Structure formats: structure tokens, C-alpha cells
């Protein structure tokens, strides 16, 4: 029997889009979802026999409930949830608007928990299921100019570690994915968000902030197709891992996570030009 997979944040050019193709290649039946404004970017996935598109806004209880019920009514179950939807929020924390920070948390953190709360009752009834929460290497090692995004992902890590133990009695596995630098449209989206910002205290760092916004998309960033296929194969194992860390720079961030704070601070302050005194 084919696994039924629900993926959030599936716009073309993103990792979610590649997740859908990767799970479909593994003979799963996939529901590719995104917000109404981006459904045109998801539509061509429906040309596959085992991918269906679905409107879903992770920040809306009503939308999440409707989408989950639609999947269950059509197939009777959801075997795997891929909590992929997310947005960047680049900028210095001292100047980034709280509305921007709230939006990042609403989508990156609460959006994942909202899906979990709607999907878990169905999985618990079957005594089986897999929840894949997408965190980030920067959730473990936060960087300058991305504190809002990093902290929203750190919260995802804490939520996932808690859920992994809490959902064990129901036969539900929780898997935390830690992408490194993965080539997608994420960097372009970050740069678009920066266009409307005029920093006051940090105007001299404008170029450095922009560099951080696109940092994951340059150099040897891992291809999103390669990344998604790697994750799909791991998730579908009979005994899936608790964490999947993969992609360019995961080794560096693993090293930094074990390093003394002064080493980490020196690395990032040098990397993003924060050694100067104003």
C-alpha cells in the first residue's frame, strides 16, 4: 500500500517542491500544498499520477483543518507529514520589526505545531505515522543577521525533541531534518524582503546583511533535488533516524556547535564584518 504524504510549502524552486517529486519517485501518494497565492507554482506537480495539489495556509487553523480533513476523506489516512513551509526574516534583531519576527514564528514554528495538532489524532487512531519537522543547522548554531529565523528554527528543534518522546506511545515517529546550505529560491525570497528595509543603527552593514541573506545559495550549496531524495529515502526506512543532517556546511556547523562560544563569536564576527567598533 502506497504511503500517503502531505507536504507543506511546495512552491516551484523550493525544497518542498523537490520533496514532492522525491516521495512520488518512491511510490508514495503525495499531497503538495501551498498558500493560494502560490498555487500556480505548485500546479505542474499535479501532472504526475501520484501527486495531487492542495491549498493550505499553515498560519490558519481553518485552512489546516480543511486540508487535513480533505486528505483523510480521500485516502483514509496521512502516513507522513513533511512540515516544510517556512520563510526567512533577515536583518539585525535590534531593528527588525516585531511584526516581521512574529510572522516568522507564525509560519516557521507555530505553523508546524498547528499541522501536528491536526494530524496527530488521525495518526494516533492508526497507531502509526511519521512527522518530519524541518529545522536548520542555524537552529543549533545561530548566525548574525538572521536571529529571527535561527530562533524560530531552534524552537522547532525543541518542539521536535519533545514530540518524539510524547508521541512514542502512539507509534508515531518524529524526525528532525537539519538542512545545510541547499540551493533553492530561499535566497531570492530573502533578498526581496530586504528591499523594503532601511537600517538606522546598522546602515554601514547593509552589504553584510545582504550577503548573509543569500549565503546559503552561493558556492557549493547542495542541489535541492539531491537533498530531497536523500531525506525521502531516510524517512521511508523501516526504522527512520531521529535526525537527518545533510547538505553543504553541515560539517562546519557541527564543529561550531561543539566549539567554545568565543570561537563561534570570533568566526561569525569575522565572517560578517562585525569586528569593527562604530
Amino acid at each position: 500500500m502506497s504511503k500517503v504524504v502531505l507536504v507543506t510549502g511546495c512552491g516551484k524552486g523550493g525544497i518542498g517542491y523537490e520533496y514532492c517529486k522525491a516521495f512520488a519517485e518512491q511510490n508514495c501518494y503525495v499531497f503538495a500544498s501551498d498558500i493560494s497565492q502560490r498555487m500556480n507554482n505548485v500546479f505542474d506537480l499535479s501532472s504526475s499520477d501520484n501527486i495531487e495539489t492542495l491549498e493550505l495556509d499553515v498560519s490558519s487553523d481553518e485552512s489546516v483543518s480543511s486540508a487535513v480533513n480533505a486528505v483523510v476523506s480521500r485516502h483514509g489516512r496521512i502516513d507522513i507529514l513533511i512540515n516544510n513551509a517556512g520563510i526567512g526574516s533577515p536583518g539585525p534583531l535590534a531593528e527588525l520589526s516585531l511584526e516581521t519576527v512574529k510572522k516568522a514564528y507564525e509560519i516557521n514554528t507555530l505553523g508546524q505545531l498547528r499541522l501536528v495538532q491536526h494530524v496527530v489524532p488521525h495518526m494516533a487512531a492508526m497507531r502509526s505515522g511519521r512527522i518530519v519537522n524541518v529545522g536548520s543547522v542555524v537552529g543549533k548554531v545561530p548566525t548574525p543577521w538572521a536571529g529571527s529565523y535561527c530562533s524560530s528554527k531552534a524552537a522547532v528543534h525543541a518542539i521536535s525533541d519533545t514530540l518524539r518522546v510524547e508521541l512514542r506511545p502512539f507509534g508515531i515517529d518524529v524526525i528532525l531534518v537539519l538542512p545545510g546550505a541547499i540551493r533553492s529560491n530561499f535566497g531570492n525570497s530573502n533578498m526581496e524582503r530586504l528591499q523594503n528595509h532601511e537600517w538606522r543603527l546598522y546602515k554601514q552593514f547593509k552589504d553584510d546583511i545582504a550577503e548573509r541573506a543569500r549565503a546559503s545559495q552561493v558556492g557549493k550549496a547542495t542541489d535541492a533535488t539531491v537533498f530531497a531524495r536523500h531525506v525521502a529515502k531516510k524517512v521511508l526506512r523501516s526504522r527512520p533516524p531521529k535526525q537527518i543532517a545533510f547538505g553543504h556546511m553541515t560539517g562546519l556547523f557541527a564543529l561550531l556547535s561543539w566549539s567554545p562560544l568565543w570561537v563561534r563569536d570570533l568566526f561569525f564576527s569575522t565572517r560578517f564584518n562585525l569586528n569593527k567598533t562604530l
Side-chain angles (χ1 to χ4, degrees):
M1 183 181 295
S2 297
K3 297 291 186 184
V4 177
V5 183
L6 172 60
V7 187
T8 66
C10 301
K12 192 170 186 178
I15 298 174
Y17 186 91
E18 298 300 330
Y19 280 139
C20 294
K21 295 195 295 182
F23 278 96
E25 288 171 358
Q26 297 295 319
N27 297 317
C28 297
Y29 193 89
V30 180
F31 282 86
S33 69
D34 214 315
I35 57 176
S36 59
Q37 301 94 306
R38 290 166 48 123
M39 287 305 293
N40 286 339
N41 293 329
V42 182
F43 182 74
D44 63 336
L45 284 171
S46 61
S47 61
S48 171
D49 291 338
N50 53 342
I51 300 179
E52 189 172 341
T53 59
L54 184 69
E55 186 176 320
L56 193 163
D57 180 353
V58 301
S59 66
S60 165
D61 287 326
E62 182 180 355
S63 177
V64 170
S65 177
S66 176
V68 169
N69 289 337
V71 176
V72 173
S73 67
R74 293 176 208 177
H75 289 269
R77 68 192 194 281
I78 296 174
D79 296 303
I80 301 172
L81 166 66
I82 310 293
N83 257 327
N84 170 73
I87 62 168
S89 50
L93 283 175
E95 288 196 52
L96 206 59
S97 75
L98 287 183
E99 286 304 312
T100 299
V101 176
K102 286 178 183 177
K103 185 174 181 181
Y105 272 78
E106 184 62 54
I107 295 175
N108 297 349
T109 309
L110 295 179
Q112 292 201 15
L113 185 55
R114 183 172 286 110
L115 261 298
V116 167
Q117 291 184 346
H118 282 81
V119 167
V120 160
H122 300 286
M123 290 183 172
M126 298 189 303
R127 291 298 188 270
S128 70
R130 291 180 183 177
I131 294 172
V132 181
N133 290 336
V134 179
S136 174
V137 292
V138 299
K140 295 181 71 174
V141 182
T143 73
W145 317 133
S148 171
Y149 177 79
C150 296
S151 59
S152 73
K153 289 299 186 178
V156 168
H157 296 188
I159 287 170
S160 300
D161 288 342
T162 302
L163 287 170
R164 189 176 61 251
V165 179
E166 290 181 347
L167 296 180
R168 185 177 298 166
F170 302 101
I172 301 171
D173 295 314
V174 177
I175 304 157
L176 177 64
V177 176
L178 304 172
I182 311 299
R183 190 173 295 107
S184 69
N185 59 6
F186 193 76
N188 291 335
S189 298
N190 274 344
M191 292 303 293
E192 288 176 8
R193 290 187 178 90
L194 282 178
Q195 290 177 1
N196 299 323
H197 284 289
E198 288 296 332
W199 311 114
R200 299 183 301 276
L201 291 171
Y202 291 94
K203 58 185 178 182
Q204 296 183 41
F205 296 93
K206 182 178 180 180
D207 292 340
D208 301 297
I209 295 169
E211 182 184 350
R212 173 61 189 90
R214 58 177 176 264
S216 65
Q217 303 302 305
V218 297
K220 298 179 180 180
T222 301
D223 182 78
T225 302
V226 172
F227 175 78
R229 285 174 174 167
H230 177 85
V231 171
K233 288 177 181 178
K234 295 270 189 178
V235 169
L236 290 169
R237 285 181 177 178
S238 57
R239 297 185 66 181
K242 294 176 176 63
Q243 290 190 4
I244 302 171
F246 186 72
H248 181 54
M249 293 183 23
T250 50
L252 171 62
F253 274 78
L255 177 63
L256 288 171
S257 72
W258 287 97
S259 299
L261 284 178
W262 71 266
V263 172
R264 194 187 303 182
D265 291 351
L266 178 61
F267 175 82
F268 285 124
S269 60
T270 302
R271 174 68 176 81
F272 294 109
N273 202 26
L274 282 159
N275 282 324
K276 59 186 177 184
T277 302
L278 300 179

